Amino acid sequence: MSTDTTTETQTGALRDDETPDTRALQKLSPFELKDTLMTLADESAKTRAAVMLNAGRGNPNWIATTPREAFFLLGQFALRESRLTWNEPDVGLAGMPRSPGIAARLRRFLDESDDSAAIRLLRDSVNYGVSKLGFDADKFVWELTDAAIGDNYPVPDRMLVHAERIVRAYLAQEMCDNRPPPGNFDLFAVEGGTAAMTYVFRSLMVNGLLQKGDTIALGTPIFTPYLEIPRLEEFDLRTVDIRQSAMTEEGRHAWQYPESELRKLEDPRIKAFFVVHPGNPGATAMRRESLDLLVDLVRTKRPDLLLLTDDVYGTFVEGFRSLAAELPHNTLLVYSYSKHFGCTGWRLGVVALHEDNIIDSMIARLPEGQREMLNERYGSITLEPERLKFIDRMVADSRAVALNHTAGLSLPQQLQMSLFSLFALLDKDDAYKKRCRRICRDRLAGLYQGMGIDLPEDPLRTAYYQTLDLDVWARKNVGQDFVEYEESRHDPLDIVLSLARRHGVVLLNGSGFEGPEWSARVSLANLDDDEYPRIGQSLKDIVIRAIAEWKGRDLDS
């Protein structure tokens, strides 16, 4: 940021009497604090006849259109199929789709329709399923059609047969860089990444793999719920931070784990390591040497360490490799479709666990009394509860076991998930993925342009978020005296409060993610491109005002 201080000097550059009590606000999650910031920003916008800019949430402002068009087109075909079996148009009643000959009828339906991207996607999807995945055409098309109607419970409850194969292929491409480990991942389709987190924590506790008072490690800074859930009374887990504290030679945050931080995982008291990869809010993937170190550490010193990796931003990094690809035996993978396809409202997520995994082995080794209790817990849904896989226990636990027969993600949701996956699998040039990446990178460039700072290259950066640490910048560019002055007079939350009040800009405080205290997270996904230079200019203005206040201070006081 330019340190030009020709802008009008104004005391109280970061706080005035109208600012809410920061000590009270510090207790809030950044996502709850956002509501206060939005109120301040809205008032600011009203007084300046401007528009509030909410760059706090990560909800993208783009959507994938072709797989959605295919969904609605398939709905039209599905209704036609339903009316073939039973039709009472006067009362708006029809039957349920039937399987025999349905693939041929879909082909005729598509041939009769005007050519479009959605038509081609459906036609190519059926061909892909039959030729690439070995599906029976009628069974596959019937699953798609029945899912569009939504007239049945999910069977199997964990995930539909063809949908699981499709999503497995998608994860192999996007999370494993087309190099999946040997064997298969079992998948559980869930209501978005947050549901996945809830189910994972719950079932790990219920099955005795984690117990109250146990220690887990968190790769910090991290998505706030991973900080908050362990503290809840029903979990009461102790946490150790594995910090992304590495700095570049130029003195910037690299958002990477130093070897000394990863070595903390050698401590046998740590039962599990939870990580968002690529990071949030750090927004970078692990460098290769860190992945190699972690792989070696687990294989040689901590083969008992459970890993949970939340990889929702993996598609935004070229050549991304999940921990599930590197350490499939130890890793639970959580993935959400929300960011890449612009579908947060659909609530589409999946939990993946390799068929050969540490968790099932750990359950088999539990004390006899504990295993008997678990057998009783799951005895109503299987005659061999001791052989029930952990991922199937998660399904049962998601419906309090007794309602297991109604478990599972809704069929229309699984259909849309399948179509999103097929859309990516059939996009041989990765045109959609490359465009999404370019959107974020262009906005990041605009943010830095507004701040007047050169943007360093980083091939591991997602550019979905940018976390800006004003403390680090100020130490390097202004000096220690300025930093000490600000820290003695202001609270770190004053940065985001002042941005909201003065400029109508809403950012989330980095401290809420266990990030640097004087940092703020900018979402580069949810505003128009031309808004990001304005956000950068607003940040620059806050700094200029603070420097001007510092230079005009009473040195004798």
Side-chain angles (χ1 to χ4, degrees):
M1 294 179 190
S2 168
T3 57
D4 176 18
T5 58
T6 56
T7 299
E8 176 186 2
T9 300
Q10 181 171 338
T11 60
L14 290 176
R15 177 190 284 172
D16 62 24
D17 293 338
E18 297 178 359
T19 301
D21 181 3
T22 53
R23 287 175 296 181
L25 293 176
Q26 285 172 342
K27 299 176 183 178
L28 295 177
S29 157
F31 295 97
E32 303 306 323
L33 173 62
K34 169 183 57 64
D35 294 338
T36 298
L37 299 176
M38 288 180 67
T39 299
L40 291 173
D42 188 48
E43 289 301 317
S44 171
K46 288 176 182 177
T47 59
R48 296 180 297 107
V51 177
M52 179 180 69
L53 299 181
N54 179 8
R57 294 201 73 172
N59 197 114
N61 67 344
W62 67 81
I63 64 167
T65 56
T66 302
R68 282 178 167 88
E69 290 172 357
F71 177 90
F72 293 119
L73 187 65
L74 196 57
Q76 296 176 35
F77 171 75
L79 284 172
R80 178 187 290 191
E81 286 294 301
S82 295
R83 292 181 176 123
L84 284 178
T85 62
W86 179 4
N87 189 23
E88 296 184 25
D90 292 343
V91 296
L93 182 150
M96 301 168 78
R98 293 176 179 172
S99 176
I102 196 171
R105 292 194 296 275
L106 176 62
R107 291 191 186 97
R108 287 197 298 272
F109 172 82
L110 297 176
D111 290 342
E112 293 166 2
S113 305
D114 293 336
D115 186 54
S116 67
I119 293 287
R120 293 192 294 274
L121 175 58
L122 287 177
R123 185 179 291 118
D124 292 345
S125 293
V126 174
N127 292 336
Y128 178 89
V130 173
S131 62
K132 186 77 172 179
L133 299 179
F135 293 163
D136 176 272
D138 278 349
K139 290 180 180 179
F140 177 35
V141 173
W142 181 85
E143 181 181 286
L144 297 175
T145 306
D146 190 63
I149 292 295
D151 57 339
N152 277 303
Y153 289 110
V155 179
D157 48 18
R158 181 159 52 78
M159 196 167 189
L160 298 177
V161 172
H162 300 90
E164 182 174 23
R165 294 278 305 280
I166 292 166
V167 173
R168 186 183 292 148
Y170 171 76
L171 295 177
Q173 174 177 291
E174 301 298 346
M175 301 293 103
C176 304
D177 192 28
N178 280 313
R179 294 175 288 125
N184 286 319
F185 286 97
D186 292 324
L187 306 183
F188 175 21
V190 296
E191 306 91 330
T194 50
M197 293 166 55
T198 304
Y199 298 153
V200 167
F201 270 101
R202 170 72 172 158
S203 289
L204 288 176
M205 297 292 291
V206 164
N207 285 276
L209 304 171
L210 290 177
Q211 301 181 32
K212 287 187 176 184
D214 280 351
T215 300
I216 64 172
L218 301 174
T220 58
I222 194 169
F223 184 44
T224 306
Y226 286 106
L227 299 168
E228 296 170 343
I229 291 175
R231 299 169 184 161
L232 296 175
E233 187 276 333
E234 60 262 42
F235 300 110
D236 193 24
L237 297 168
R238 299 177 181 178
T239 59
V240 171
D241 285 355
I242 310 297
R243 299 199 62 83
Q244 297 173 1
S245 55
M247 306 294 286
T248 67
E249 293 180 357
E250 297 79 20
R252 299 186 306 272
H253 287 285
W255 305 115
Q256 295 289 344
Y257 300 102
E259 179 177 346
S260 58
E261 289 295 306
L262 291 175
R263 290 291 180 192
K264 292 179 182 178
L265 298 172
E266 295 177 355
D267 186 343
R269 291 173 295 183
I270 296 175
K271 298 293 185 66
F273 178 36
F274 287 32
V275 60
V276 176
H277 181 220
N280 175 14
T284 59
M286 275 192 243
R287 52 194 175 196
R288 185 68 247 179
E289 51 265 42
S290 296
L291 282 171
D292 290 342
L293 173 62
L294 188 55
V295 169
D296 181 70
L297 186 152
V298 169
R299 288 178 176 170
T300 62
K301 298 185 178 181
R302 290 301 314 278
D304 60 331
L305 183 65
L306 172 63
L307 306 173
L308 183 140
T309 183
D310 184 335
D311 294 354
V312 61
Y313 304 102
T315 54
F316 292 88
V317 174
E318 182 71 29
F320 175 74
R321 287 276 289 175
S322 169
L323 289 174
E326 302 285 343
L327 291 164
H329 182 64
N330 294 70
T331 305
L332 266 167
L333 166 64
V334 168
Y335 179 73
S336 167
Y337 286 70
S338 60
K339 305 303 192 293
H340 185 56
F341 295 100
C343 62
T344 54
W346 261 109
R347 313 310 295 149
L348 304 179
V350 65
V351 180
L353 182 61
H354 198 271
E355 58 190 355
D356 176 18
N357 66 82
I358 185 177
I359 299 180
D360 289 333
S361 301
M362 292 167 68
I363 291 174
R365 294 195 302 268
L366 289 171
E368 183 178 357
Q370 199 167 355
R371 282 187 283 116
E372 289 178 354
M373 290 177 61
L374 290 172
N375 289 345
E376 183 175 352
R377 175 180 177 84
Y378 300 109
S380 65
I381 62 173
T382 174
L383 295 177
E384 296 180 299
E386 68 279 359
R387 300 182 63 181
L388 190 67
K389 293 180 178 181
F390 176 75
I391 198 161
D392 291 311
R393 295 176 186 226
M394 286 181 61
V395 178
D397 293 335
S398 74
R399 296 297 183 269
V401 182
L403 293 169
N404 181 71
H405 62 287
T406 62
L409 188 66
S410 78
L411 300 192
Q413 286 173 287
Q414 293 198 50
L415 170 60
Q416 186 67 87
M417 187 187 299
S418 298
L419 291 172
F420 282 141
S421 298
L422 288 162
F423 177 59
L425 289 165
L426 293 166
D427 185 2
K428 297 306 179 185
D429 296 326
D430 287 334
Y432 177 84
K433 181 165 57 178
K434 290 175 181 176
R435 178 67 181 118
C436 292
R437 291 174 181 169
R438 191 164 69 251
I439 289 169
C440 293
R441 280 161 172 71
D442 288 349
R443 292 173 179 178
L444 179 60
L447 176 71
Y448 270 71
Q449 177 187 6
M451 292 189 296
I453 299 177
D454 291 333
L455 175 61
E457 288 294 322
D458 185 351
L460 297 177
R461 177 194 291 135
T462 67
Y464 200 91
Y465 303 110
Q466 182 66 25
T467 300
L468 303 165
D469 188 346
L470 298 187
D471 180 86
V472 166
W473 180 88
R475 288 179 190 277
K476 179 180 179 181
N477 294 280
V478 186
Q480 182 66 23
D481 288 348
F482 170 68
V483 172
E484 292 177 356
Y485 174 82
E486 288 299 312
E487 290 179 350
S488 68
R489 289 177 173 256
H490 299 295
D491 186 277
L493 283 185
D494 291 341
I495 297 170
V496 292
L497 290 168
S498 187
L499 278 169
R501 188 182 64 252
R502 292 186 180 281
H503 298 280
V505 172
V506 176
L507 306 182
L508 296 189
N509 54 307
S511 59
F513 300 83
E514 292 292 317
E517 198 172 26
W518 291 84
S519 67
R521 191 197 75 169
V522 184
S523 170
L524 296 155
N526 66 335
L527 296 173
D528 293 338
D529 295 9
D530 57 2
E531 305 290 6
Y532 287 95
R534 178 186 148 187
I535 293 174
Q537 291 162 6
S538 299
L539 282 161
K540 180 178 178 180
D541 176 73
I542 292 293
V543 172
I544 289 174
R545 287 176 179 275
I547 294 173
E549 177 189 326
W550 169 65
K551 288 188 174 182
R553 69 195 184 283
D554 185 354
L555 297 179
D556 294 329
S557 60

